[in-house]
Amino acid sequence: MEGAEGEGSGGGGGGGGGQRYSLKASRINNEDILMCVDVDPQCLVEMKFSGANGRPLTRLDSIRQAIVLFVNAKLAINPEHRFAFATLSNSVSWLRKEFSSEIESTIAAVRALSAASSTSSQPDLTNLFRLAAHEAKKSRMQGRILRVILFYCRSNIRPQHQWPVNQKVFTLDVMYLHDKPGPDNCPQEVYDTLVEALEQVSEYEGYILESGQGLARVLFRHVLVLLLHPQQRCIQEYLDIPKSLTKKAPQPEPMATDDSVPGSSQ
């Protein structure tokens, strides 16, 4: 999408002269999106509501659904976007390395997602960032940009990373699912650490969204906010979507009166 330039008019009345203005030409690039899912056993925490068949719905189940929802919606906007998949345990591992715009590839990847058998030590995001930076260079050579979307599920373990402050070649978004604060967890500290990582590595405006409610619909709503293209975003503090929908009480029908009821003249 290209910028434009034109003429701006002067003040009101008849005497104002034209004032030249211009918009910097820019192109909105197609995206390569690397979706990384935290597969620590905490991803198996049950959500508040069961699935359609009555089976308890876990965080991982909800993340699977959210990813398919996101990819379908993103491809409906622009079928040129591409997606790859990785998992995070102690470090990062490829799940599906080749970026693809085929929805069948996404479905196969989410079906292959499975939780780790045991809790790992403090996860290191450094390898995720290195992998993303490597892929970002390849994307850039094709006129594309790279974004990482991290789904993080641990309420008591802060991730760590080491990254140069001046190396920003991709954008990071985070979706954080966590428990309520308690003696055994520290979601606020984890959240703050994720914010620091996002701000340090992101080329464009990265978003971090979180939920401790255990509701799949909240996850879906947040994930749809991430449809916003990094090159077209406002900063997150100015973001006013999604808006809450309040139910309006139905307005009562006006009561019929003698004056309002038509009748025949005598």
Side-chain angles (χ1 to χ4, degrees), residues 8-107:
S9 61
Q19 182 179 357
R20 183 84 174 171
Y21 70 88
S22 63
L23 298 177
K24 183 179 179 181
S26 62
R27 181 175 296 278
I28 305 303
N29 301 90
N30 296 329
E31 286 193 86
D32 287 336
I33 300 176
L34 170 57
M35 310 192 85
C36 182
V37 179
D38 181 12
V39 292
D40 182 85
Q42 291 186 55
C43 74
L44 297 178
V45 171
E46 293 181 4
M47 308 293 277
K48 286 189 177 179
F49 295 102
S50 301
N53 59 0
R55 183 176 62 86
L57 194 68
T58 66
R59 285 175 181 164
L60 185 57
D61 294 327
S62 299
I63 289 171
R64 289 190 183 104
Q65 295 178 21
I67 289 174
V68 174
L69 174 66
F70 175 88
V71 172
N72 268 306
K74 194 72 174 171
L75 290 176
I77 296 169
N78 181 353
E80 297 301 320
H81 295 313
R82 304 187 305 196
F83 306 87
F85 300 89
T87 59
L88 176 68
S89 182
N90 183 43
S91 187
V92 65
S93 301
W94 279 113
L95 184 64
R96 188 166 291 266
K97 184 175 182 179
E98 298 301 322
F99 285 89
S100 171
S101 57
E102 299 295 327
I103 189 62
E104 292 79 9
S105 177
T106 293
I107 293 173

Side-chain angles (χ1 to χ4, degrees), residues 51 113 115 189 233-234 265:
L113 282 169
E189 287 82 357
R233 292 179 175 183
C234 64
S265 58

Side-chain angles (χ1 to χ4, degrees), residues 90 122-126 129 158-162 193:
N90 183 43
Q122 187 177 24
D124 192 347
L125 300 180
T126 304
F129 297 161
R158 292 185 295 174
Q160 61 182 343
H161 74 279
Q162 296 180 349
T193 301

